[in-house]
């Protein structure tokens, strides 16, 4: 369906312009074509690479299990066959919602019928002396990962600053490549923003068992170097950790500058409704840059900026439904995953302090799930090496199925019976 009405090829409506060529942008274009949307679509990507998968950058690519060539999101003919104009190496610099124009870095401008901002997020910068030394790496883009991978061949010791998922995945990958790895986290707990303490402590021990030296509650004073290259990390207590390279895993910030400069409402990302619509007509936001309205769940915030493939893809599908004239907000539970050593951690829902915790399985055997009950219903679940339970938990959380601790703890009780009632 073309919301602008039918038009001949000589009088086609202004295009939908998608700024960002990663998961959200690609999914939006794909979903629109599947829904019969036949207006022109132009997708702008500021990288030189066609849309690619990001999770393998800190997982398979760094560990040597994946190649750059295997990361493409779509086949080489997809964009041509779907009549999607993909412009790589193209950066948008300004937006005028009143005139419905987008200015590009090369001095040209695009007039749009609709504008979808899928600009994602970028790594936070380390504002300390030595942060610009050679050998200090971010890990967000394919070029970042390739540069880090190339640096590993001449390195034996690495310091990772930041104990979030990127830091832990990089620590596991680099340890597997034979480097001696030290991970530094200013907070007394790993993954403090992401996981309850018990699960974070479990992963911390597995990292230590894998050979990673973890320093918790340690600030960094500066990075030391010689001849322009990093040689060590000086901690707040004055001690120095020698290293050949540093990986920064200190979080990301949304690329919401285009929207902010255009006067569009932003707060930790671009504010949208459940369908990706901003407060500016014909301007939308999806993916890591969007702070989107969420389904009403007791105890949960009404807005979240979720940094995940699932949120990017589901938000894009919801926006596509609205643009195609069949609005359908996404209501499923958020989910994420992380690979570290031989562990696959899969997370569904969002756990809150005060949730009742139920363990199903054997933590010592590294095959278990932790369920979080809120008001007698499953609100979140974390599974280690139990993909089947993860898939079931997503369904149970989305359907708000009642459950008891006894049911969940008893491995002879088939969770499919609960899922069947959803």
């Amino acid at each position: 369906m073309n919301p602008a009405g039918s038009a001949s090829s000589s009088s086609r409506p202004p295009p939908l312009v998608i700024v960002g060529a990663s998961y959200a942008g690609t999914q939006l274009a794909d979903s629109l074509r599947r829904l019969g949307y036949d207006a022109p679509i132009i997708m702008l990507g500021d990288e030189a690479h066609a849309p690619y998968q990001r999770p393998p950058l800190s997982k398979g690519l760094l560990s040597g299990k994946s190649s750059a060539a295997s990361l493409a999101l779509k086949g080489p003919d997809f964009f041509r066959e779907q009549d999607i104009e993909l412009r790589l190496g193209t950066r948008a610099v300004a937006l005028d919602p009143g005139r419905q124009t987008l200015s590009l870095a090369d001095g040209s401008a695009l007039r749009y019928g609709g504008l979808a901002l899928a600009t994602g997020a970028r790594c936070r910068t380390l504002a300390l002396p030595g942060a610009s030394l050679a050998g200090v790496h971010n890990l967000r883009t394919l070029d970042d990962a390739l540069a880090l991978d190339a640096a590993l061949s001449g390195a034996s010791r690495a310091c990772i600053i930041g104990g979030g998922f990127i830091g832990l995945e990089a620590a596991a990958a680099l340890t597997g490549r034979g480097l001696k790895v030290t991970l530094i986290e200013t907070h007394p707990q790993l993954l403090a923003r992401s996981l309850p303490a018990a699960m974070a402590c479990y992963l911390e021990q597995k990292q230590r068992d894998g050979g990673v030296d973890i320093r918790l509650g340690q600030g960094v004073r500066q990075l030391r170097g010689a001849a322009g290259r990093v040689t060590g990390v000086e901690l707040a207590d004055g001690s120095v950790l020698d290293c050949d390279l540093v990986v920064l895993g200190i979080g990301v910030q949304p690329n919401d500058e285009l929207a902010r400069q255009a006067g569009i409402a932003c707060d930790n990302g671009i504010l949208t409704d459940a369908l990706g619509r901003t407060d500016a007509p014909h301007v939308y936001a999806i993916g890591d840059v969007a702070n989107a309205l969420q389904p009403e769940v007791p105890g949960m915030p009404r807005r979240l900026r979720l940094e995940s493939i699932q949120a990017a893809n589901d938000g894009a599908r919801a926006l596509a439904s609205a643009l195609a004239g069949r609005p359908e907000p996404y209501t499923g539970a958020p989910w994420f995953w992380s690979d570290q050593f031989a562990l696959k951690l899969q997370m569904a829902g969002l756990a809150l302090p005060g949730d009742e915790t139920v363990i199903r399985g054997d933590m010592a055997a590294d095959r278990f799930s932790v369920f979080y009950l809120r008001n007698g219903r499953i609100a979140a679940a974390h599974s280690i090496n139990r993909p089947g339970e993860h898939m079931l938990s997503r369904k149970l959380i989305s359907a708000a199925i009642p459950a008891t601790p006894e049911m969940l703890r008893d491995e002879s009780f088939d969770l499919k019976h609960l899922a069947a009632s959803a």
Side-chain angles (χ1 to χ4, degrees):
M1 174 180 178
N2 181 353
S6 60
S8 68
S9 60
S10 61
S11 59
R12 298 183 77 185
L16 171 71
V17 177
I18 302 172
V19 184
S22 189
Y23 283 96
T26 303
Q27 183 65 63
L28 175 59
D30 187 14
S31 295
L32 284 170
R33 290 301 189 230
R34 290 176 185 271
L35 291 172
Y37 183 95
D38 60 3
I41 297 176
I42 298 174
M43 182 185 296
L44 310 179
D46 59 3
E47 295 184 57
H49 307 287
Y52 59 86
Q53 302 174 61
R54 291 188 188 273
L57 301 183
S58 58
K59 300 177 177 72
L61 190 67
L62 268 192
S63 66
K65 298 176 183 177
S66 302
S67 66
S70 69
L71 302 185
L73 273 179
K74 295 292 182 181
D77 299 326
F78 168 79
F79 295 96
R80 176 182 54 79
E81 291 173 351
Q82 296 301 318
D83 191 23
I84 299 164
E85 183 181 346
L86 177 62
R87 300 187 188 180
L88 300 175
T90 302
R91 186 167 60 90
V93 295
L95 161 62
D96 186 334
R99 296 183 177 181
Q100 292 183 232
T101 58
L102 182 72
S103 298
L104 306 181
D106 64 4
S108 64
L110 285 172
R111 177 167 172 75
Y112 61 82
L115 180 70
L117 299 173
T119 47
R122 63 185 181 279
C123 293
R124 294 188 181 277
T125 57
L126 184 67
L128 291 175
S132 61
L133 289 166
V136 180
H137 296 265
N138 286 312
L139 187 50
R140 179 72 181 177
T141 68
L142 178 54
D143 287 339
D144 290 339
L146 293 174
L148 177 55
D149 182 64
L152 298 184
S153 61
S156 61
R157 297 166 298 181
C159 283
I160 296 175
I161 301 176
F165 283 117
I166 289 294
L168 293 177
E169 290 173 1
L174 269 57
T175 300
R177 295 282 294 271
L179 277 72
K180 179 177 174 58
V181 176
T182 301
L183 185 145
I184 307 154
E185 169 56 51
T186 58
H187 197 276
Q189 176 193 312
L190 297 176
L191 298 161
R193 294 191 308 114
S194 307
L195 292 181
M199 182 59 76
C201 288
Y202 166 82
L203 292 175
E204 176 190 338
Q205 188 57 54
K206 292 304 172 182
Q207 287 277 334
R208 293 186 189 276
D209 292 346
V212 180
D213 178 8
I214 296 178
R215 309 290 183 94
L216 296 177
Q218 290 277 11
V220 175
R221 180 179 295 170
Q222 65 176 330
L223 305 187
R224 291 190 175 186
R229 174 166 289 276
V230 71
T231 59
V233 176
E234 181 179 338
L235 302 180
D237 63 9
S239 60
V240 177
L241 301 171
D242 294 333
C243 61
D244 306 303
L245 59 86
V246 170
V247 180
L248 302 179
I250 57 176
V252 299
Q253 61 190 78
N255 294 322
D256 58 7
E257 288 78 9
L258 277 174
R260 285 183 181 276
Q261 292 165 7
I264 297 171
C266 296
D267 182 10
N268 183 32
I270 305 171
L271 300 182
T272 75
D273 67 6
L275 290 166
R277 296 176 293 206
T278 74
D279 65 352
H282 313 296
V283 179
Y284 317 97
I286 48 176
D288 289 4
V289 76
N291 189 345
L293 193 66
Q294 302 296 313
E296 197 162 354
V297 176
M300 294 300 298
R302 288 308 314 276
R303 289 192 169 278
L304 287 172
R305 189 176 64 81
L306 295 169
E307 299 164 7
S308 73
I309 293 172
Q310 170 260 338
N313 286 338
D314 292 337
R317 292 188 185 100
L319 175 55
S321 74
L323 293 176
R326 289 173 262 170
E328 187 176 343
Y330 181 76
T331 58
W335 56 269
F336 319 83
W337 84 94
S338 177
D339 294 336
Q340 301 171 35
F341 295 107
L343 305 179
K344 177 172 284 295
L345 166 63
Q346 294 172 289
M347 299 156 278
L350 298 171
L352 294 177
D355 289 345
E356 185 175 5
T357 302
V358 182
I359 299 174
R360 180 183 178 91
D362 186 359
M363 293 184 75
D366 299 328
R367 290 194 72 255
F368 65 95
S369 293
V370 181
F371 291 93
Y372 302 89
L373 293 176
R374 191 179 310 146
N375 300 322
R377 301 175 188 274
I378 302 172
H382 296 152
S383 299
I384 294 287
N385 297 334
R386 285 198 169 187
E389 284 186 356
H390 166 71
M391 296 300 294
L392 282 171
S393 69
R394 284 162 51 182
K395 185 174 182 180
L396 295 172
I397 294 165
S398 296
I401 297 297
T404 67
E406 293 73 24
M407 285 177 180
L408 299 175
R409 192 177 292 116
D410 182 2
E411 291 198 82
S412 67
F413 178 78
D414 191 346
L415 294 181
K416 292 179 182 177
H417 293 319
L418 283 177
S421 66

